[in-house]
């Protein structure tokens, strides 16, 4: 079965602090994809990154970086020098053959950046 | 055009009403999805259309009726809803259902059933 766990329900940081959002997943698939989405108060889910199970390279995009470790089934997301505009709910998601390639979301982490 | 457009943005309906939610994309995507998101919960898959054919119905009650008139449009017809159906309804599309290169989501319709 596919499962995504985001243990941090809510996080508050002061602007300019770094913050890491944790994501742990379970799957029996050998080929799978991991995603991060941002959901601001407006409701739209904004795609941030997709990573396939064969690519464990970490990725950096501006202030965002992702650490994928298959050994611990984790796909963590770090925001460096957080800004108020980063305040949102962040979802980690998984898709794979077992779930007919549909997206399974974690429960989300609500990030509040305090000015 | 890299957007998924959903209308209306907000909808209030009575339990005896019939209404429809609309979703449109012009990215040439061949898979389209309806998700339901309750407050403070993750989105949950309702329906998947692949090449305009219903591929997945996740045991959704018949008071929700999806329709895909063409490759760019996806509707969700609502009838005799219950207050617990109040939620954010999200539409999404992807290049292909079998190859999850990433989903593009609309901003959703906030539905309130009174």
């Amino acid at each position: 079965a596919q499962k995504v766990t985001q243990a941090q329900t809510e996080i508050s940081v002061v602007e300019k602090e770094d913050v890491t959002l944790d994501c742990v997943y379970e799957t029996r698939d050998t080929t799978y994809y991991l995603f991060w989405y941002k959901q601001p108060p407006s409701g739209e889910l904004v795609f941030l990154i997709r990573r396939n199970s064969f690519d464990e390279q970490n990725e950096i995009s501006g202030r965002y970086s992702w650490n994928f470790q298959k050994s611990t089934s984790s796909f963590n997301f770090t925001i460096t020098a957080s800004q108020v505009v980063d305040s949102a709910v962040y979802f980690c998601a998984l898709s794979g053959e077992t779930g007919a390639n549909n997206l399974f979301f974690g429960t989300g982490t609500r990030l509040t950046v305090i000015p | 055009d890299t957007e998924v457009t959903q209308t209306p943005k907000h909808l209030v309906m009575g339990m005896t009403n019939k209404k429809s939610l609309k979703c449109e994309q012009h990215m040439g995507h061949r898979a389209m999805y309806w998700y339901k998101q309750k407050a403070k919960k993750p989105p949950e898959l309702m329906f998947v259309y692949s090449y305009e054919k219903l591929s997945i119905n996740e045991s959704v009650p018949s008071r929700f009726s999806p329709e895909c008139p063409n490759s760019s449009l996806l509707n969700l017809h609502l009838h005799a809803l219950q207050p617990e159906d109040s939620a954010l309804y999200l539409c999404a599309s992807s290049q292909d259902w079998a190859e999850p290169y990433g989903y593009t989501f609309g901003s959703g319709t906030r539905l309130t059933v009174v």
Side-chain angles (χ1 to χ4, degrees):
Chain A
Q2 315 281 59
K3 185 177 180 181
V4 177
T5 301
Q6 295 180 254
Q8 304 151 308
T9 304
E10 296 190 21
I11 301 176
S12 293
V13 298
V14 177
E15 198 171 21
K16 297 185 182 178
E17 287 184 346
D18 299 346
V19 58
T20 295
L21 309 182
D22 298 333
C23 173
V24 175
Y25 63 92
E26 295 178 28
T27 180
R28 286 178 287 185
D29 295 332
T30 53
T31 302
Y32 54 89
Y33 298 86
L34 294 164
F35 302 80
W36 275 97
Y37 282 88
K38 173 182 180 181
Q39 188 173 41
S42 60
E44 180 179 2
L45 278 162
V46 179
F47 170 80
L48 296 178
I49 190 171
R50 181 189 83 123
R51 174 69 70 213
N52 75 53
S53 52
F54 299 105
D55 182 2
E56 287 193 71
Q57 283 192 355
N58 292 330
E59 181 158 338
I60 298 175
S61 177
R63 297 185 296 108
Y64 295 169
S65 62
W66 291 270
N67 184 347
F68 177 28
Q69 293 196 342
K70 287 180 74 171
S71 60
T72 56
S73 296
S74 65
F75 186 41
N76 296 337
F77 173 31
T78 297
I79 302 174
T80 304
S82 59
Q83 299 177 2
V84 173
V85 294
D86 296 327
S87 297
V89 180
Y90 290 86
F91 290 98
C92 181
L94 167 71
S95 72
E97 293 175 350
T98 300
N101 290 323
N102 292 312
L103 272 179
F104 288 89
F105 287 89
T107 50
T109 297
R110 179 177 299 277
L111 173 65
T112 301
V113 181
I114 304 166
Chain B
D1 188 350
T2 58
E3 289 185 344
V4 173
T5 303
Q6 289 188 245
T7 55
K9 293 195 179 302
H10 300 272
L11 178 63
V12 179
M13 62 184 291
M15 290 188 283
T16 58
N17 291 159
K18 287 185 180 180
K19 297 286 184 182
S20 296
L21 309 185
K22 297 186 184 299
C23 174
E24 189 170 4
Q25 58 89 12
H26 295 288
M27 295 176 282
H29 287 176
R30 302 317 300 261
M32 296 186 75
Y33 312 80
W34 280 115
Y35 281 82
K36 175 181 178 179
Q37 186 178 20
K38 300 282 283 183
K40 298 189 177 183
K41 297 290 186 182
E44 294 180 345
L45 183 65
M46 300 175 71
F47 302 104
V48 178
Y49 272 84
S50 178
Y51 288 84
E52 301 161 49
K53 292 186 178 179
L54 183 63
S55 299
I56 285 186
N57 175 342
E58 291 286 0
S59 302
V60 179
S62 59
R63 58 185 184 268
F64 295 91
S65 175
E67 177 196 21
C68 190
N70 60 55
S71 60
S72 300
L73 293 174
L74 186 65
N75 298 323
L76 186 62
H77 302 298
L78 314 173
H79 173 55
L81 294 193
Q82 303 298 310
E84 59 264 29
D85 296 321
S86 298
L88 178 67
Y89 288 84
L90 291 161
C91 175
S93 69
S94 64
Q95 187 172 344
D96 197 319
W97 178 35
E99 295 290 337
Y101 289 110
Y103 296 60
T104 302
F105 282 86
S107 55
T109 294
R110 292 193 184 275
L111 174 67
T112 302
V113 182
V114 297

